[in-house]
Amino acid sequence: MTPLSGGDPSMARRRHSVLRRGGMTALCGLLLGGLAFTSAPGVAKGDDLDDQQAAVAQQVSASNEEVTAEDQALISAQTVLASSKQQLATAQAQLAAAQSARDAAATADSAAQAAFNAANDALTKANGDLAAAQAAVVAQREAVGSTVRASAQQNSELVTIGLLVGGKTSTGLSNRVQWTDQAFRAQQSKLDSLSAAELRFEAAQQKQQEAQKQADAQRQQAASALATAQQTADAAQAAEQKVQALVTQSNSDEAAEQQALAAALKKNTELKAQQAALTQQIQKRNEEQAAEAARQKAADAAAAAAAAAGTSTPSSTKSVLIDPVPGAPVTSPYGYRINPILNTKELHDGVDLGASCGAPIHASASGTVAQVIPADQSAGWGNRLVLDHGLVNGVYLATGYNHAEGYIVKVGDQVSQGQVIGYVGATGLATGCHLHFHTYVNGKAVDPQTWITVS
């Protein structure tokens, strides 16, 4: 397949429109522009800055809205957090009150239990005392009964007669009657005392039973109050834990919104910095375009003056440039043709020199490297280089080298005629390895074969 270049795509036409206007000053403007773009990767071409500025302005506007939304979200999160903290304070106060009531109920329950225990102990003692007294009464009754029976058995007419006749004197009889009466009265007194004691113990027992019953009721009431207070405290603690979880979540949400707002502000700051940088670049571009227009005007005036003075380009210029790829044939000459890739009719504004990949490319004339543009920024020309040869035979001359595999010189380098500046490749819109060679006269692309003889 015969290697051909992709011709002159629309983006390439836009890039080289200044060159085609004529004059070395126009060429310098293009070279300066190319230098600015190649030395600052990622910066848009001059005529794309306005579009980029508009795009960044939209991003800044969207970022402003995002910052506002994040700020509002943060305020909402802070409001929720403040509310949840207030709820937590209320829940903690309620929990403290419930716990205090529970502790008081526990104290009352302990006191009631102690009172119940004391009453129960007193009743137990009273029951014991009563049982002992009852046993004593029973024993005493038995003893008195024995005495009464014995007295009854001895209380007969014979006893009376014995009392009357047994003594030797009346005084003895009186004493024996008195002693017998006292004995009966003593026994009766013991019975009466025992009966009274038994009644007192029964009364005491009843009183202790009432006290125990009251103490038991108080203990049950205190226990019920304690259970209720414990339930209230448990419910308050559960509520406090729930609100504490809400506060924890609210804190987390507030922190997340803080981070989101910080990220939005950072992004907004970066976009505004980018917007400011673009504004400066546009201002610089406008200044350069104004200066370029002034230089172009001066160059046009100088060219008109030279024409008026009778200076002109020599009829033969074929000895000025040398073959950039010696021995390489012309595979596609200068002129209109059908683009082999785009399939459109267009001006092929240079010559294609068929050469093998990696063949050295030589500088056609001495000059300064004005542009070195990588393939991804050359709009189809692949790796591209432009040499500025200055004023040659009364015109400003430049040459362009396209689709190279790569270059070994950089912008600003001074090169000599015939010096190797790079190697043939097939980068950009190309069907194979070749060199698309440009010749610019006063910034306008002309047929290179009017300036060079190639085989």
Side-chain angles (χ1 to χ4, degrees):
M1 178 183 293
T2 302
L4 297 174
S5 71
D8 184 17
S10 59
M11 292 184 68
R13 293 193 188 97
R14 182 174 60 189
R15 182 183 297 280
H16 303 298
S17 60
V18 177
L19 274 173
R20 295 194 181 104
R21 280 186 276 172
M24 182 60 185
T25 55
L27 174 63
C28 291
L30 174 64
L31 300 182
L32 288 172
L35 177 62
F37 295 138
T38 56
S39 62
V43 178
K45 299 185 289 296
D47 48 4
D48 289 338
L49 288 177
D50 294 323
D51 293 340
Q52 188 174 358
Q53 185 187 44
V56 172
Q58 291 179 350
Q59 293 176 4
V60 168
S61 178
S63 177
N64 289 337
E65 294 178 357
E66 181 181 6
V67 169
T68 300
E70 293 296 348
D71 187 56
Q72 290 298 322
L74 175 60
I75 292 173
S76 298
Q78 290 173 336
T79 301
V80 171
L81 176 59
S83 174
S84 60
K85 285 183 176 179
Q86 181 60 45
Q87 293 178 43
L88 177 60
T90 301
Q92 288 174 336
Q94 292 174 347
L95 174 60
Q99 289 175 335
S100 178
R102 178 200 61 195
D103 295 341
T107 301
D109 181 67
S110 297
Q113 183 65 49
F116 172 79
N117 292 338
N120 193 55
D121 291 342
L123 179 61
T124 300
K125 184 176 182 302
N127 286 334
D129 291 343
L130 180 60
Q134 286 175 339
V137 168
V138 171
Q140 190 62 40
R141 281 179 175 175
E142 290 179 353
V144 172
S146 298
T147 302
V148 171
R149 285 193 299 271
S151 298
Q153 292 172 359
Q154 296 175 4
N155 189 14
S156 63
E157 293 179 354
L158 291 177
V159 172
T160 304
I161 294 172
L163 289 174
L164 294 175
V165 299
K168 296 179 179 182
T169 64
S170 59
T171 302
L173 176 62
S174 176
N175 287 338
R176 285 193 295 274
V177 171
Q178 184 179 3
W179 290 340
T180 301
D181 182 63
Q182 288 177 349
F184 276 107
R185 285 198 300 268
Q187 293 299 328
Q188 184 63 44
S189 176
K190 289 181 181 179
L191 287 173
D192 293 341
S193 297
L194 288 174
S195 297
E198 187 174 18
L199 290 175
R200 286 196 301 272
F201 277 114
E202 289 177 354
Q205 183 186 38
Q206 184 177 3
K207 183 177 179 180
Q208 291 299 329
Q209 288 175 345
E210 289 296 330
Q212 185 187 32
K213 182 178 180 181
Q214 183 178 2
D216 186 49
Q218 291 176 349
R219 184 194 63 79
Q220 291 180 355
Q221 183 179 4
S224 177
L226 176 60
T228 301
Q230 184 63 55
Q231 290 177 353
T232 302
D234 291 343
Q237 185 171 20
E240 189 269 348
Q241 291 174 349
K242 183 176 181 180
V243 177
Q244 182 64 62
L246 175 62
V247 171
T248 300
Q249 182 62 48
S250 298
N251 271 318
S252 176
D253 293 343
E254 193 266 351
E257 291 300 338
Q258 286 279 16
Q259 292 179 353
L261 178 59
L265 286 172
K266 180 181 178 182
K267 177 182 177 182
N268 186 261
T269 300
E270 292 173 350
L271 286 171
K272 286 181 177 178
Q274 183 179 356
Q275 187 179 42
L278 283 171
T279 300
Q280 292 179 352
Q281 291 180 37
I282 290 173
Q283 182 178 0
K284 181 180 179 181
R285 179 203 65 186
N286 293 341
E287 292 172 352
E288 289 176 350
Q289 288 179 346
E292 179 186 343
R295 288 193 299 267
Q296 180 64 50
K297 184 176 180 181
D300 291 343
T311 58
S312 61
T313 302
S315 58
S316 176
T317 57
K318 289 184 178 291
S319 61
V320 174
L321 302 177
I322 65 171
D323 192 345
V325 187
V330 175
T331 56
S332 183
Y334 179 92
Y336 282 93
R337 67 168 190 178
I338 300 297
N339 187 301
I341 295 177
L342 303 178
N343 198 32
T344 57
K345 185 175 182 180
E346 62 182 11
L347 175 65
H348 185 241
D349 57 355
V351 294
D352 287 346
L353 303 176
S356 59
C357 296
I361 301 172
H362 302 268
S364 287
S366 299
T368 302
V369 179
Q371 280 186 326
V372 178
I373 304 176
D376 61 352
Q377 299 179 25
S378 68
W381 290 120
N383 293 319
R384 171 175 169 77
L385 182 144
V386 175
L387 291 179
D388 176 12
H389 305 296
L391 189 63
V392 178
N393 289 350
V395 296
Y396 293 105
L397 181 65
T399 52
Y401 309 79
N402 305 279
H403 305 300
E405 180 181 283
Y407 296 101
I408 59 175
V409 293
K410 62 182 181 301
V411 172
D413 285 353
Q414 301 293 320
V415 299
S416 301
Q417 188 176 48
Q419 178 181 337
V420 175
I421 58 175
Y423 300 94
V424 172
T427 57
L429 295 178
T431 60
C433 288
H434 71 288
L435 174 67
H436 181 103
F437 182 64
H438 277 130
T439 301
Y440 298 101
V441 173
N442 291 332
K444 181 180 180 181
V446 299
D447 186 354
Q449 289 187 290
T450 61
W451 284 80
I452 186 174
T453 299
V454 292
S455 56

